[in-house]
């Protein structure tokens, strides 16, 4: 659990669409999901307003971005720890940004807004390959 006033991405990982099974490889250009486990400490969660989750897929072999997906929404304050599993779909059609054999990695940032205050966290996945 994060400290009382922190929000954290605990884990981010690519999965086969609609599952919780991590991918070792993804077919070139195919859709896949990314799961981000997030937590907010009880004091920060007592005054939260909203979250922004940015998921990026990076082609490490060619040093370029494959895709970036932003998800955001409201949060309801409660003086208790908050945990959530956010699922983001990386849509098909990115085949022009990666070749078979390229190594990919998911990067993520999680921003929680609480009034005039914000808290950020980042995480990176294990690598996987384009097949």
């Amino acid at each position: 659990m994060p400290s009382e006033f922190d929000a954290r991405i605990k884990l981010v990982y690519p999965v086969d669409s609609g599952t919780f099974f991590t991918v070792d490889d993804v077919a070139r250009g195919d859709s896949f999901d990314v799961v981000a486990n997030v937590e907010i400490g009880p004091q920060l969660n007592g005054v939260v307003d909203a979250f922004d989750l940015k998921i990026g897929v990076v082609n490490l072999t060619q040093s370029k971005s494959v895709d970036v997906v932003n998800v955001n929404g409201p949060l309801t304050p409660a003086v208790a720890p908050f945990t959530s599993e956010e699922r983001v779909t990386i849509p098909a059609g990115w085949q022009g940004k990666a070749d078979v054999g390229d190594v990919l990695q998911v990067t993520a940032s999680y921003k929680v807004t609480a009034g005039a205050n914000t808290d950020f966290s980042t995480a990176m996945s294990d690598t996987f390959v384009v097949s």
Side-chain angles (χ1 to χ4, degrees), residues 30-102:
D30 279 2
S31 175
F32 62 96
D33 290 346
V34 172
V35 174
N37 299 127
V38 297
E39 294 181 340
I40 303 173
Q43 295 300 318
L44 178 60
N45 194 42
V47 293
V48 294
D49 295 316
F51 77 94
D52 295 292
L53 176 64
K54 182 179 281 192
I55 300 291
V57 180
V58 179
N59 183 331
L60 297 176
T61 304
Q62 297 184 35
S63 298
K64 64 182 178 181
S65 176
V66 171
D67 203 351
V68 177
V69 177
N70 293 301
V71 177
N72 55 52
L75 292 170
T76 302
V79 183
F82 173 83
T83 60
S84 180
E85 206 159 57
E86 300 293 333
R87 179 178 292 267
V88 176
T89 298
I90 305 300
W94 51 268
Q95 62 271 11
K97 298 178 181 177
D99 296 322
V100 172
D102 283 357

Side-chain angles (χ1 to χ4, degrees), residues 5 16 19 36 38 45 48 55 57 88 108 110 119 122 128:
F5 291 97
D16 293 319
T19 75
V38 297
N45 194 42
V48 294
I55 300 291
V57 180
V88 176
Y110 184 60
D119 191 44
T122 63
F128 55 107

